Amino acid sequence: LIGERRQKILNISKDELSCLILSENSKYLIASIGKKNLEEFASIFIFETSNFSLIKKMNLHPKGVQYICLSNDNKYLISIGTKEENSVCIWDFEKFKIIDMKKDKPVKGEWGVSFLAPTLVKELQQNLERGEQSMLFLNRRGYAPLLICRDCGH
């Protein structure tokens, strides 16, 4: 786009956008809505930049999206809900599905009980083996450092 000096106007939503990111390979443009509308959850829109077509619209955050980012290898999209919702979602970007903590339950590892999904642990291990870095954000509130319900995932 920059080399060609062309513009495209996308009418994504009437609602206020909270985040807009471009993948490192410039293949995808991803936008999210800051607050939910009256009809559905806040949306995350994924566009292919070659023709600006909408390839996926994902809804999961009931109160809004405050942050989105892609992993360096474009395998995972991470979305963080608003502070009222207090949730983090990890989407399998290649398959456009969320890693469900109710199904992909944390397991006890050699270090003790984990609060991370086995899929995420595997990806972190692969990053370390490649000599890459990973960063996890933990939103700590109140006295308990972390509380996760093993039944519902919240």
Side-chain angles (χ1 to χ4, degrees), residues 16-19 31-36 41-44 58-69 78-83 85 87 91:
E16 177 181 315
L17 293 179
S18 60
C19 301
S32 64
I33 302 298
K35 296 179 182 174
K36 73 172 185 166
F41 290 2
S43 299
I44 298 172
M58 301 181 295
N59 298 313
L60 186 74
H61 295 283
K63 306 266 184 195
V65 179
Q66 70 174 342
Y67 181 78
I68 52 175
C69 71
I78 298 147
S79 60
I80 300 176
T82 59
K83 63 182 178 179
E85 180 187 333
S87 68
W91 304 84

Side-chain angles (χ1 to χ4, degrees), residues 82-95:
T82 59
K83 63 182 178 179
E84 294 87 8
E85 180 187 333
N86 196 25
S87 68
V88 176
C89 296
I90 304 169
W91 304 84
D92 184 330
F93 192 68
E94 295 169 350
K95 298 175 186 168

Side-chain angles (χ1 to χ4, degrees), residues 7-148:
Q7 296 177 344
K8 174 77 173 173
I9 297 174
L10 299 173
N11 291 318
I12 297 172
S13 173
K14 293 178 184 174
D15 298 309
E16 177 181 315
L17 293 179
S18 60
C19 301
L20 184 67
I21 62 171
L22 183 65
S23 63
E24 283 193 34
N25 61 6
S26 299
K27 187 175 181 181
Y28 302 106
L29 179 68
I30 305 167
S32 64
I33 302 298
K35 296 179 182 174
K36 73 172 185 166
N37 61 31
L38 297 175
E39 299 170 4
E40 58 185 25
F41 290 2
S43 299
I44 298 172
F45 302 92
I46 301 174
F47 294 91
E48 196 164 10
T49 57
S50 62
N51 58 7
F52 292 102
S53 60
L54 178 65
I55 57 173
K56 188 69 177 176
K57 177 182 174 186
M58 301 181 295
N59 298 313
L60 186 74
H61 295 283
K63 306 266 184 195
V65 179
Q66 70 174 342
Y67 181 78
I68 52 175
C69 71
L70 272 173
S71 60
N72 288 340
D73 57 4
N74 292 333
K75 283 187 175 182
Y76 297 99
L77 174 69
I78 298 147
S79 60
I80 300 176
T82 59
K83 63 182 178 179
E84 294 87 8
E85 180 187 333
N86 196 25
S87 68
V88 176
C89 296
I90 304 169
W91 304 84
D92 184 330
F93 192 68
E94 295 169 350
K95 298 175 186 168
F96 296 112
K97 70 175 192 175
I98 190 164
I99 297 172
D100 189 347
M101 294 287 286
K102 291 178 248 177
K103 295 178 184 167
D104 196 11
K105 290 186 179 191
V107 294
K108 187 172 184 173
E110 55 193 55
W111 59 89
V113 177
S114 174
F115 61 90
L116 302 175
T119 305
L120 179 59
V121 171
K122 183 178 120 191
E123 290 294 325
L124 290 170
Q125 287 172 337
Q126 289 175 354
N127 272 1
L128 289 173
E129 289 167 5
R130 289 190 301 262
E132 296 176 355
Q133 297 178 346
S134 300
M135 185 180 299
L136 301 176
F137 295 95
L138 302 176
N139 186 6
R140 295 180 62 177
R141 290 186 177 177
Y143 177 74
L146 183 69
L147 281 176
I148 294 179

